[in-house]
């Protein structure tokens, strides 16, 4: 035998090995067989370059043709062989009711389906990841299918198209008659731990909370509260459809939170609160200061039983109004008696009807709303409707004129130091002439002036006197010199007093006139009980 000839026995063994390579297994692959054919052809006809010698082109061409024809013939034989094998087997990729029946005979497929139906169970997966399994035997599950239906699927296969199973799956379904004990199924489902009310938690809405000195939106809590009746309906449907898995999360039967973390309303609310809490207002009050900041504002928010914050506009505005009202209660002195530290005696209460502190509450409320909304940081006074003379000494300051109408004496203090003092005569103690007590201030002074009373029918005046020093502090009532008075101080004023003005010696009036300026407080009071003579 020459080097160009081949051993026929060797070829027969190779072909036999190739043709019967795992034909009875599911893994049989014609591509593997094709590869084996090529290997044999190369070994026999010099594919490795050692068995062939160089020759003419004609001889080489005949060899190539022979190899090609032999390869085609072998492949054709192999394809026909596989077609024969699939005469009574399902193609690769054949699925029946979810079972892979690749390479099975009809009887094998039927037995597999029956075994699957007999061992049926439904696995239920809940939101918390826990699973529960309902066994078919526990609910009296019985399923029956027609043997013909499986055979019909096989009959629809054309053996010559067996190779299609390597490229696509064939999904098939046979009709199954299902029966189960509905009462037992309901009892089984409703007895699961996950559907017991003690095990279910209601969802919680997202909310705004105060954390680490700022407001943040905390996410909602889904909970696991579900509609038990809807769950039962879905389980019945799954059993009837022979489903083996049921994910409760996908059924839409869980009760969901009404407000989610991405709620525009919550996000905006947190931003607004943080802006408000970033600001502070330091009120400079007459005798102290008062700070309004987050420590106060947080108490103006509404909290539910779980401590979640939210801003209720009506409640918020009520707190703003009450804050201003409370501040005014402390600050306002207008129309309120003030405590005056009288000279030489215990403090006395003095009416304050002319001037004093009074906050403009409506204006301040509007200002405060705006500043809180915009997160303003500021130091300021409240908006006043009326201002007192000074911040110190109950709004009087430390420079003032003090007149005790009971002791008939005047003291003048400059920067808390006594500057001068003198006896005086005040108004007669009748209702129409007595000098009114109160906190006043000089609003006008004048030299060389006639003081006249009401004009009579004859053209004269009820009184008409000339003074050198006139210092007005309460309407037509003022301080002036009184040359007609014989004496000052004592009890003379009760019956012989003025018509309400403060009379003082001329030299003392001149001294006071030169010292006093418009705006200087003048405090008049009775250190003894007022007793009228009429």
């Amino acid at each position: 035998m020459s080097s160009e000839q081949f051993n026929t026995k060797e070829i027969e063994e190779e072909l036999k090995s190739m043709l019967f390579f795992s034909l009875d297994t599911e893994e049989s692959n014609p591509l593997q067989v094709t590869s084996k054919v090529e290997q044999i052809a190369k070994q026999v006809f010099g594919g490795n370059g050692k068995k062939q010698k160089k020759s003419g082109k004609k001889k080489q061409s005949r060899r190539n043709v022979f190899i090609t024809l032999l390869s085609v013939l072998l492949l054709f034989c192999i394809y026909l062989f596989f077609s024969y094998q699939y005469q009574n087997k399902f193609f690769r990729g054949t699925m029946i009711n979810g079972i892979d029946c690749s390479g099975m005979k009809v009887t094998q497929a039927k037995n597999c389906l029956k075994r699957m139906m007999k061992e049926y169970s439904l696995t239920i997966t809940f939101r918390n990841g826990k699973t529960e399994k309902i066994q078919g035997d526990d609910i009296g599950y019985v399923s029956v299918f027609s043997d013909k239906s499986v055979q019909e699927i096989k009959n629809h296969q054309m053996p010559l198209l067996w190779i299609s199973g390597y490229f696509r799956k064939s999904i098939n379904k046979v009709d199954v008659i299902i029966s189960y004990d509905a009462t037992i199924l309901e009892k089984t489902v409703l007895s699961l731990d996950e559907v017991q009310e003690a095990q279910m938690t209601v969802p919680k809405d997202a909310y705004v909370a105060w954390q680490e000195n700022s407001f943040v939106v905390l996410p909602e809590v889904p909970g696991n509260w579900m509609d038990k009746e809807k769950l039962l309906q879905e389980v019945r449907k799954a059993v009837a459809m022979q489903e083996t898995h049921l994910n409760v999360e996908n059924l839409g039967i869980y009760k969901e939170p009404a407000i989610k973390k991405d709620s525009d309303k919550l996000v905006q609310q947190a931003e607004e609160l943080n802006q408000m809490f970033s600001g502070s207002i330091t009120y400079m009050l007459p005798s102290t200061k008062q700070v309004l900041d987050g420590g106060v504002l947080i108490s103006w928010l509404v909290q539910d039983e779980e401590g979640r914050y939210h801003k209720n506009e009506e409640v918020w505005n009520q707190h703003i109004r009450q804050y201003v009202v409370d501040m005014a209660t402390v600050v306002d002195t207008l129309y309120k008696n003030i405590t005056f530290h009288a000279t030489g005696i215990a403090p006395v209460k003095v009416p304050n009807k002319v001037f004093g502190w009074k906050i403009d509450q409506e204006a301040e409320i509007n200002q405060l709303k705006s500043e809180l909304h915009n997160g303003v940081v500021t130091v300021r006074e409240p908006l006043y409707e009326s201002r007192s003379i000074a911040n110190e000494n109950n709004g009087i300051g430390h420079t003032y004129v003090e007149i005790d109408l009971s002791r008939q004496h005047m003291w003048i203090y400059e920067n808390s130091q006594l500057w001068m003092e003198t006896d005086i005569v005040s108004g007669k103690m009748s209702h129409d002439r007595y000098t009114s007590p109160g906190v006043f201030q000089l609003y006008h002074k004048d030299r060389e002036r006639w003081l006249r009373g009401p004009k009579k029918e004859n053209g004269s005046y009820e009184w008409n006197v000339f003074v050198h020093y006139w210092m007005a502090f309460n309407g037509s009532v003022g301080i002036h010199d009184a040359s007609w008075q014989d004496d000052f101080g004592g009890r003379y004023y009760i019956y012989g007093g003025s018509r309400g003005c403060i009379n003082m010696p001329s030299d003392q009036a001149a001294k006071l006139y030169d010292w006093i300026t418009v705006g200087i407080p003048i405090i008049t009071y009775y250190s003894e009980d007022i007793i009228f003579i009429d």
Side-chain angles (χ1 to χ4, degrees):
M1 181 179 294
S2 67
S3 60
E4 295 177 0
Q5 293 175 317
F6 53 85
N7 190 326
T8 57
K9 187 174 182 179
E10 181 181 349
I11 295 174
E12 289 175 358
E13 290 298 326
E14 290 288 345
L15 289 173
K16 183 177 179 180
S17 174
M18 175 186 69
L19 293 172
F20 294 98
F21 177 77
S22 301
L23 288 176
D24 291 329
T25 68
E26 186 179 326
E27 290 77 13
S28 300
N29 192 332
L31 300 177
Q32 295 175 345
V33 178
T34 302
S35 176
K36 210 163 188 65
V37 170
E38 292 175 352
Q39 292 174 14
I40 294 171
K42 288 179 180 179
Q43 292 172 5
V44 174
F45 297 106
N48 57 10
K50 293 181 179 180
K51 292 184 179 182
Q52 296 189 46
K53 303 295 182 178
K54 287 186 177 181
S55 59
K57 293 182 179 180
K58 185 174 182 181
K59 190 174 182 179
Q60 182 67 33
S61 179
R62 284 200 301 270
R63 288 175 182 170
N64 291 341
V65 171
F66 182 77
I67 291 172
T68 301
L69 291 174
L70 180 58
S71 298
V72 172
L73 178 60
L74 288 173
L75 287 174
F76 183 69
C77 292
I78 293 167
Y79 194 88
L80 290 177
F81 185 82
F82 271 86
S83 298
Y84 176 76
Q85 290 291 314
Y86 281 109
Q87 288 287 336
N88 61 349
K89 293 182 180 180
F90 287 104
F91 289 170
R92 184 184 182 90
T94 301
M95 305 292 293
I96 302 178
N97 285 24
I99 297 177
D100 188 354
C101 297
S102 300
M104 291 186 184
K105 295 180 179 180
V106 172
T107 303
Q108 292 175 316
K110 289 179 181 178
N111 291 336
C112 193
L113 283 169
K114 289 177 181 178
R115 184 170 61 254
M116 184 274 290
M117 294 177 180
K118 184 177 181 180
E119 297 173 356
Y120 173 78
S121 67
L122 175 65
T123 300
I124 305 174
T125 302
F126 293 92
R127 173 171 279 178
N128 58 10
K130 188 174 180 180
T131 60
E132 296 282 0
K133 184 175 285 189
I134 298 177
Q135 299 288 350
D137 291 343
D138 296 339
I139 59 173
Y141 183 90
V142 177
S143 60
V144 180
F145 66 92
S146 171
D147 290 344
K148 292 182 179 180
S149 58
V150 179
Q151 182 64 53
E152 288 174 356
I153 294 173
K154 175 63 189 70
N155 293 342
H156 278 87
Q157 291 185 172
M158 296 180 64
L160 285 174
L161 300 179
W162 60 269
I163 198 170
S164 64
Y166 287 88
F167 303 102
R168 63 181 178 83
K169 285 186 177 183
S170 175
I171 308 299
N172 303 275
K173 192 170 184 65
V174 296
D175 293 333
V176 179
I177 300 175
I178 303 295
S179 65
Y180 60 88
D181 191 318
T183 301
I184 295 178
L185 177 63
E186 179 177 349
K187 184 177 179 181
T188 301
V189 172
L190 297 181
S191 66
L192 296 175
D193 287 344
E194 286 70 17
V195 300
Q196 306 309 308
E197 291 194 7
Q199 301 297 323
M200 291 193 292
T201 57
V202 296
K204 297 180 180 180
D205 294 341
Y207 64 97
V208 174
W210 176 255
Q211 287 189 347
E212 298 180 356
N213 297 321
S214 68
F215 286 96
V216 295
V217 178
L218 293 185
E220 66 278 4
V221 178
N224 63 345
W225 191 275
M226 72 182 82
D227 188 323
K228 294 185 285 188
E229 288 302 320
K230 288 185 178 179
L231 174 64
L232 182 58
Q233 293 174 12
E234 294 295 336
V235 171
R236 287 170 181 160
K237 189 187 301 182
V239 172
M241 298 295 291
Q242 295 180 278
E243 301 288 347
T244 57
H245 290 85
L246 184 66
N247 191 331
V248 182
E249 188 70 57
N250 300 330
L251 302 178
I253 64 175
Y254 281 113
K255 186 177 181 180
E256 298 293 339
I259 303 176
K260 302 294 182 66
K261 182 180 180 180
D262 57 358
S263 164
D264 291 340
K265 182 178 179 181
L266 281 186
V267 173
Q268 181 181 357
Q269 187 179 73
E271 290 176 353
E272 289 179 354
L273 290 175
N274 280 325
Q275 186 175 29
M276 279 186 273
F277 276 61
S278 66
S280 68
I281 302 170
T282 301
Y283 284 104
M284 302 307 294
L285 304 180
S287 59
T288 184
K289 66 180 179 179
Q290 183 170 303
V291 180
L292 176 60
D293 57 12
V296 177
L297 296 176
I298 196 167
S299 65
W300 295 4
L301 301 177
V302 176
Q303 283 183 283
D304 60 18
E305 295 177 353
E306 298 179 0
R308 297 179 294 189
Y309 290 99
H310 70 276
K311 178 187 176 186
N312 180 293
E313 288 296 334
E314 182 178 354
V315 174
W316 181 262
N317 290 335
Q318 286 175 352
H319 277 292
I320 290 177
R321 179 171 293 277
Q322 189 60 50
Y323 184 85
V324 174
V325 169
D326 291 343
M327 183 165 58
T329 301
V330 174
V331 171
D332 289 359
T333 58
L334 186 63
Y335 308 123
K336 293 181 180 179
N337 293 342
I338 68 167
T339 299
F340 178 71
H341 298 282
T343 301
I345 59 175
V348 295
K349 294 291 184 180
V350 182
N352 184 16
K353 298 180 180 180
V354 178
F355 72 97
W357 298 112
K358 182 173 177 59
I359 293 176
D360 188 336
Q361 295 188 20
E362 291 305 318
E364 179 58 38
I365 287 170
N366 292 331
Q367 179 78 3
L368 184 53
K369 284 181 181 178
S370 175
E371 290 176 342
L372 291 178
H373 179 75
N374 295 310
V376 172
V377 177
T378 185
V379 178
R380 66 176 179 85
E381 290 184 334
L383 300 180
Y384 286 110
E385 179 180 326
S386 172
R387 300 181 63 87
S388 192
I389 298 171
N391 291 335
E392 303 83 11
N393 194 19
N394 291 322
I396 296 171
H398 301 295
T399 298
Y400 55 88
V401 176
E402 174 186 352
I403 303 173
D404 187 339
L405 302 172
S406 297
R407 289 185 285 175
Q408 291 289 286
H409 199 79
M410 174 190 293
W411 298 266
I412 295 92
Y413 288 90
E414 183 174 21
N415 296 325
S416 300
Q417 299 297 316
L418 181 63
W419 182 74
M420 68 166 281
E421 61 179 306
T422 183
D423 288 335
I424 56 94
V425 174
S426 62
K428 180 182 177 180
M429 291 307 296
S430 61
H431 283 86
D432 61 337
R433 291 178 59 172
Y434 84 106
T435 302
S436 298
V439 180
F440 309 98
Q441 65 183 141
L442 185 74
Y443 69 87
H444 176 71
K445 68 177 186 174
D446 199 5
R447 289 288 307 275
E448 315 301 334
R449 177 168 179 154
W450 285 94
L451 302 180
R452 296 186 174 97
K455 197 171 186 177
K456 300 179 180 179
E457 292 183 359
N458 61 8
S460 63
Y461 298 96
E462 290 190 12
W463 68 87
N464 188 14
V465 297
F466 180 80
V467 298
H468 296 284
Y469 308 101
W470 169 247
M471 294 161 276
F473 65 88
N474 181 18
S476 60
V477 175
I479 303 172
H480 58 82
D481 55 302
S483 57
W484 57 90
Q485 293 285 7
D486 295 330
D487 200 4
F488 296 90
R491 312 297 288 177
Y492 172 73
Y493 78 100
I494 297 175
Y495 294 96
S498 69
R499 298 181 180 275
C501 288
I502 304 298
N503 297 171
M504 60 188 302
S506 297
D507 59 336
Q508 298 296 321
K511 187 176 180 180
L512 177 62
Y513 185 90
D514 291 338
W515 174 85
I516 199 167
T517 58
V518 172
I520 293 290
I522 297 173
I523 298 92
T524 60
Y525 63 88
Y526 288 89
S527 57
E528 299 174 3
D529 292 339
I530 298 176
I531 300 175
F532 293 104
I533 60 175
D534 56 354

